[in-house]
Amino acid sequence: MVDDRQEGDGGIAPEAFDAAPVSVAVIRGPERRLAYTNLAFRATFGERPIGEPVRHAFRDLVQHDYFDLLDRVLADGEPVTLAEAPVSLFFPDTGYEQRFFSFSLTRLPGDEPAVLAVGVDVSGSVDTARRADAADEQRRALRRFQSLIRVSAEIVWVTDPAGYPVEPSPGWERVTGQSWERFRGRGWQRALHPEDREETARSWERALAQARPWRYVVRLRTVEGDYRHFQVNAAPVYENGVVVEWVGTCTDIEQEWRREHRRRLLDGAGAATAERTGLREMLGALADVLVPALADGCGVHLLPDYIDRPAGAPLLTERVATAARPDLPRQPPFGREWYAADSGFTRAVQRSRPLHHTFPPGRPPAGMLPQGTTEWLAAANANSVVLMPVTVDGTVAAVVTAAVCGEREPLSREDVDLMRQMFDHAHDALSSAIEYHRTQRVALALQHSLLAEPPVVPGLEIAARYRASPATAEVGGDWYDSFVLPDGAAVLAIGDATGHDLAATVAMSQLRNILRSLIVDRQECPGDVLRRLNIAMETLIPEGSATCALARVADGGPDGMRLDYAVAGHPPPVLVCPDGSVDLLEDAANPLLGLGPLFDEPYHSAQVRLPPGCTVLLYTDGLVERPGEHLDKGLERLCEQAGRFARRPLPAFCDGLLTRLPTAGIDDLAMIALRVPPDGGEAIGVARS
């Protein structure tokens, strides 16, 4: 009997197919419902729901275009036959996989359209044929590969499936000098550069585990004792789907590697100079290109006074950049060094030719480089060093020292030539940066010449600091001043004339001189002095404006030292007590200088007692201002750091603020600080930087 879910059709009794050894199904009606499946069909495809649309019954079928074939047979009545067609779906005996079937679709007669589907699983024969074809193709590929390597590769080798050599390699022995006894096992790894061995072994093990072709670049030690770059290519050889051996080649690519290495270094040098304008930053970036690509350590020195240096005089250098491999110590990036006129360093500069030395590891020649550099070379186990003058616009402007350390191959003549090409490649950018740097040095010297030395004041200590903006080569308007009045009182002043050009410096100089005259002219409080300065500016500097903080420190009798101060548009002075407490002195704030008739009101002064051991700090806005941030944030940072440094010596107090405060770097900054000695302490000392 036929399942009552499976209906007969057009003269064909479905039960006739029940015992058929092939898969049989009937699909009927405009909705393409599955009407019948025989035992072989159900054994192959599982129990599919009778009465459901065939697309739903076989929704796991990947090849949806077979449903389109069914529609076509129903539409035009032409039968379709496919041989070795892939069928990907869920099979009850194996799960989801792809098999191959030869099947036909035939339209059945009758009032209602129906299709008879008959299929045979031919996966076994297809797999056998494909394996045979794959084996033939593999044999052909192996023959081609063997023919190719015989004519193109210098070294050919064969290993077992675990990656161990199974036969001698004449090419390997000819290139590396390793005999078969030394080559076999993992002995071949001893011919690799020590820095390459670990990573090469890991890469080779990954290729073996994945049974995938291996392509790698290694450095091999040749019979001449040097290292050359070789391209390694290896591929697994299969038999019956199993890896039975590996065949590989090593081809010398040293020249190609050097050309690519040179291109990368020159491109890196070009990028380093194109993206920077400051000379120090540019030279630092070039040092980072050299290390570790060409050297393990590098230092760059400028020669600021070389052009004007008298004959026979020592040579001054400024170290402006250093670089070192991560596992090596690094020299400080900044510092000054002097070289005797007859030193190897000075002679190399005078001749404008590189000085190249190779030596036993850790034993650099004495007298060629400064003591600090020589000690670094010994500690880093260096084996070679190059001292290369860098000529810009016909003059030696800098000197680059580069060293190679450990077991790395010493610097060669080709390496020295590549260093020279790097800096020649950057010549135009270096020329502009050096001119910029020289202008900045002249501007800085001019600025310092206009700043007064703090006086020696018995009972007090005074320190001053000035830092030019690294973002501009022009002089600015920041200034400070201090002197002692006839009555013994100490005066501190600090200010900022608007602008960052020569006009600002001229205005700064005029303001300082006018202020000095007004202070000495008559004995009056700081606020009155600033008011008169504002009036004077209307006539003498009509287009200018400025800020200023003025303070007078004197003995207040039994109450100790007293501070009288006034501020005109300037950040407030800071009073730092020995216990770390900090106060902003904001009780004498007055308008900006240069307003003239717009402000004709009195300027206020304020007074505060100075406890023993306290510090008074006057500063310009470059110390506290940052773009996009409210000034109060900068003042909070200043007070916090000043409290931390309260008990440090005064010079260290000032230097700590310069070092720890995150300044924007786009403005000059100046500061002047006064320290009242503790009870029973002696004053002394003046510091300026």
Side-chain angles (χ1 to χ4, degrees), residues 354-491:
L355 195 61
H356 180 200
H357 277 273
T358 299
F359 42 85
R363 296 166 57 187
M368 187 181 83
L369 296 170
Q371 185 65 26
T373 302
T374 302
E375 291 174 356
W376 184 91
L377 293 172
N381 204 33
N383 60 44
S384 58
V385 65
V386 170
L387 188 155
M388 188 185 72
V390 178
T391 301
V392 179
D393 297 329
T395 302
V396 178
V399 176
V400 179
T401 56
V404 162
C405 307
E407 296 187 42
R408 186 172 181 176
E409 188 176 354
L411 287 162
S412 64
R413 291 185 177 181
E414 290 80 3
D415 295 330
V416 178
D417 184 62
L418 185 51
M419 286 176 57
R420 181 189 57 76
Q421 290 181 54
M422 278 182 59
F423 283 87
D424 286 350
H425 202 59
H427 177 275
D428 291 347
L430 285 173
S431 176
S432 298
I434 286 174
E435 184 61 31
Y436 180 94
H437 185 70
R438 287 171 179 162
T439 303
Q440 192 177 42
R441 284 174 54 83
V442 171
L444 190 58
L446 174 61
Q447 185 80 342
H448 276 285
S449 72
L450 297 173
L451 298 174
E453 289 283 353
V456 175
V457 184
L460 299 173
E461 184 180 3
I462 302 175
R465 296 289 186 268
Y466 173 80
R467 292 291 181 269
S469 165
T472 175
E474 298 172 336
V475 291
D478 288 24
W479 59 277
Y480 60 79
D481 198 4
S482 62
F483 52 90
V484 181
L485 294 173
D487 63 358
V491 173

Side-chain angles (χ1 to χ4, degrees), residues 237-462:
V237 178
Y238 289 86
E239 284 186 8
N240 297 324
V242 177
V243 176
V244 295
E245 65 181 12
W246 285 74
V247 179
T249 66
C250 301
T251 304
D252 190 331
I253 59 166
E254 183 66 23
Q255 294 306 314
E256 296 92 329
W257 185 89
R258 286 182 178 274
R259 283 195 295 269
E260 179 62 21
H261 184 55
R262 174 183 177 277
R263 184 192 64 78
R264 287 197 303 268
L265 280 176
L266 294 182
D267 287 349
T273 54
E275 296 171 359
R276 295 164 179 84
T277 56
L279 182 60
R280 293 176 185 269
E281 294 79 8
M282 191 177 295
L283 292 172
L286 287 171
D288 289 336
V289 173
L290 276 172
V291 177
L294 203 62
D296 295 318
C298 177
V300 185
H301 296 74
L302 293 179
L303 309 178
D305 303 322
Y306 181 64
I307 297 177
D308 301 323
R309 169 177 161 270
L315 177 65
L316 171 64
T317 71
E318 290 182 358
R319 188 171 64 246
V320 295
T322 60
R325 207 175 60 197
D327 58 329
L328 293 176
R330 179 172 179 170
Q331 284 188 296
F334 306 113
R336 286 190 163 198
E337 295 169 343
W338 291 89
Y339 297 85
D342 60 348
S343 67
F345 189 102
T346 303
R347 288 196 299 271
V349 172
Q350 291 171 335
R351 296 169 183 169
S352 190
R353 291 201 304 266
L355 195 61
H356 180 200
H357 277 273
T358 299
F359 42 85
R363 296 166 57 187
M368 187 181 83
L369 296 170
Q371 185 65 26
T373 302
T374 302
E375 291 174 356
W376 184 91
L377 293 172
N381 204 33
N383 60 44
S384 58
V385 65
V386 170
L387 188 155
M388 188 185 72
V390 178
T391 301
V392 179
D393 297 329
T395 302
V396 178
V399 176
V400 179
T401 56
V404 162
C405 307
E407 296 187 42
R408 186 172 181 176
E409 188 176 354
L411 287 162
S412 64
R413 291 185 177 181
E414 290 80 3
D415 295 330
V416 178
D417 184 62
L418 185 51
M419 286 176 57
R420 181 189 57 76
Q421 290 181 54
M422 278 182 59
F423 283 87
D424 286 350
H425 202 59
H427 177 275
D428 291 347
L430 285 173
S431 176
S432 298
I434 286 174
E435 184 61 31
Y436 180 94
H437 185 70
R438 287 171 179 162
T439 303
Q440 192 177 42
R441 284 174 54 83
V442 171
L444 190 58
L446 174 61
Q447 185 80 342
H448 276 285
S449 72
L450 297 173
L451 298 174
E453 289 283 353
V456 175
V457 184
L460 299 173
E461 184 180 3
I462 302 175

Side-chain angles (χ1 to χ4, degrees), residues 519-595:
I519 294 171
V520 175
D521 175 55
R522 63 181 75 167
Q523 297 292 323
E524 58 186 358
C525 61
D528 292 339
V529 174
L530 292 182
R531 180 177 182 273
R532 288 201 293 146
L533 179 60
N534 183 50
I535 295 171
M537 285 182 64
E538 183 182 355
T539 300
L540 301 177
I541 316 174
E543 302 300 325
S545 63
T547 67
C548 182
L550 178 62
R552 183 178 186 274
V553 179
D555 189 347
D559 292 334
M561 303 300 294
R562 186 184 74 234
L563 172 72
D564 293 278
Y565 70 96
V567 176
H570 200 83
V574 174
L575 176 61
V576 186
C577 294
D579 62 0
S581 60
V582 180
D583 289 319
L584 291 175
L585 304 182
E586 301 179 292
D587 293 338
N590 298 285
L592 182 77
L593 298 172
L595 296 180

Side-chain angles (χ1 to χ4, degrees), residues 120-185:
V120 179
D121 189 342
V122 295
S123 301
S125 59
V126 170
D127 289 344
T128 301
R130 290 193 172 192
R131 283 197 297 270
D133 291 343
D136 290 341
E137 180 61 29
Q138 195 173 71
R139 283 190 288 271
R140 285 193 296 272
L142 181 59
R143 287 195 297 271
R144 288 195 296 267
F145 180 67
Q146 291 170 334
S147 299
L148 178 62
I149 61 178
R150 278 196 295 269
V151 299
S152 62
E154 298 174 64
I155 301 172
V156 181
W157 46 268
V158 181
T159 74
D160 62 17
Y164 293 94
V166 294
E167 60 185 54
S169 171
W172 181 274
E173 184 171 355
R174 183 177 63 254
V175 171
T176 67
Q178 274 195 332
S179 64
W180 165 240
E181 290 301 321
R182 296 177 59 202
F183 171 59
R184 66 193 306 174

